[in-house]
Amino acid sequence: MIAKDLQSGVERLGDMIASADIIVPFTGAGISTECGIPDFRSPGGIWTRNRPIPFDEFVASQEARDESWRRRFAMEEVFAAARPGRGHRALAALHRAGKIPAVITQNIDNLHQASGFAADRVIELHGNTTYARCIGCGQVYQLDWVKRRFDQDGAAPDCTGCDEPVKTATISFGQAMPEEEMQRATELSQACDLFIAIGSSLVVWPAAGFPMMAKRSGARLVIINREPTEQDAIADLVIRHDIGETLGPFVGN
Ligand code: NAD
């Protein structure tokens, strides 16, 4: 059912939240657009400007690694300045109230952690761009170390331990999904009684399979997105409005 207007959507969502025992939010780039981080697919989104660099290209080519890091450094001011929005804060309030055990996110911006979720309560399906990792041995690097080395050598650095490339701790196209996160997201999707997909175009798989999985396991499904998605037809409630406006009433004090 598509909410006829924002107010009736918020009221219906409030009733569903009140009667649910276990709520699992699933968030995409849309929850962070009001924080100044562009999404991928909206007009003006990141992909309207840059073609994504697949994992095999990153591994094979120094040039691709340099380009990938140049793009990341160009975004640093945006990521560093971003603060949790109304959507993040509403979810954090419901987490504190004991309704949300953990959040499943496709986002890489660390804003759920910044809003008050402990790191182990944020299931990051696509990793995190606020730090880096060696793709060989997994050694963690801070971004300012990568930047210093890049500026010094004019090229993206390799791991000091094993000489493999260092990459933001994100999952690129063509890179394996993180097993433990996929497992935990599966368990939560199957255990919840209310699943809320927020600001995701629901086209990136396998992540986009979770709303469907929750629905099949008996949960009620809510989709909040200002644009239609391919899964609207199976949702119990679709709120086609701005996320901050929709979730703002749930932020509390
Ligand atoms: P997407 O760009 O495909 O979709 C974002 C969706 O959010 C769109 O459908 C858009 O209509 C909606 N939206 C944007 N702002 C909104 C608002 N204020 N209110 C309501 N709806 C809004 O992003 P996705 O589905 O998350 O998937 C693509 C990939 O993007 C993810 O894997 C993620 O890693 C990556 N990504 C993350 C960030 C981030 O961490 N903030 C930013 C860009 C891309």
Side-chain angles (χ1 to χ4, degrees), residues 41-242:
R41 291 177 182 77
S42 291
I46 294 167
W47 283 358
T48 58
R49 286 174 277 140
N50 282 322
R51 178 187 69 87
I53 297 172
F55 185 63
D56 57 352
E57 207 176 310
F58 182 93
V59 174
S61 150
Q62 179 71 45
E63 207 176 299
R65 294 196 284 280
D66 294 350
E67 173 59 14
S68 167
W69 275 109
R70 269 193 294 272
R71 288 182 191 177
R72 177 61 188 86
F73 297 142
M75 287 294 290
E76 180 51 14
E77 273 187 32
V78 166
F79 280 114
R83 297 290 172 269
R86 288 169 289 178
H88 299 99
R89 288 187 278 126
L91 299 183
L94 292 168
H95 175 52
R96 284 195 300 278
K99 288 262 182 187
I100 293 178
V103 54
I104 305 172
T105 190
Q106 296 172 268
N107 292 348
I108 54 175
D109 55 25
N110 214 51
L111 289 178
H112 288 299
Q113 291 90 328
S115 73
F117 280 86
D120 67 352
R121 299 290 157 169
V122 183
I123 301 169
E124 294 176 318
L125 298 176
H126 296 160
N128 189 309
T129 194
T130 64
Y131 61 94
R133 257 187 208 290
C134 166
I135 62 170
C137 69
Q139 168 74 41
V140 168
Y141 289 91
Q142 297 310 310
L143 296 191
D144 50 6
W145 178 86
V146 180
K147 179 82 168 69
R148 272 200 311 277
R149 290 289 303 269
F150 194 106
D151 288 347
Q152 194 181 300
D153 303 338
D158 293 330
C159 179
T160 55
C162 72
D163 282 337
E164 291 293 322
V166 173
K167 180 179 172 295
T168 55
T170 51
I171 307 295
S172 301
F173 281 107
Q175 192 170 1
M177 292 294 284
E179 272 174 38
E180 193 191 322
E181 282 79 357
M182 288 298 287
Q183 183 58 34
R184 286 183 70 202
T186 300
E187 286 164 12
L188 279 168
S189 301
Q190 291 172 341
C192 66
D193 53 3
L194 178 60
F195 188 100
I196 313 179
I198 304 165
S200 172
S201 55
L202 302 178
V203 296
V204 180
W205 290 80
F210 290 113
M212 226 174 253
M213 182 186 290
K215 179 73 188 159
R216 284 207 189 108
S217 306
R220 294 209 270 185
L221 173 62
V222 176
I223 295 178
I224 308 174
N225 194 313
R226 61 188 174 200
E227 302 287 337
T229 78
E230 278 173 21
Q231 299 190 28
D232 289 357
I234 62 160
D236 298 275
L237 174 65
V238 176
I239 304 181
R240 220 168 262 170
H241 291 277
D242 179 69

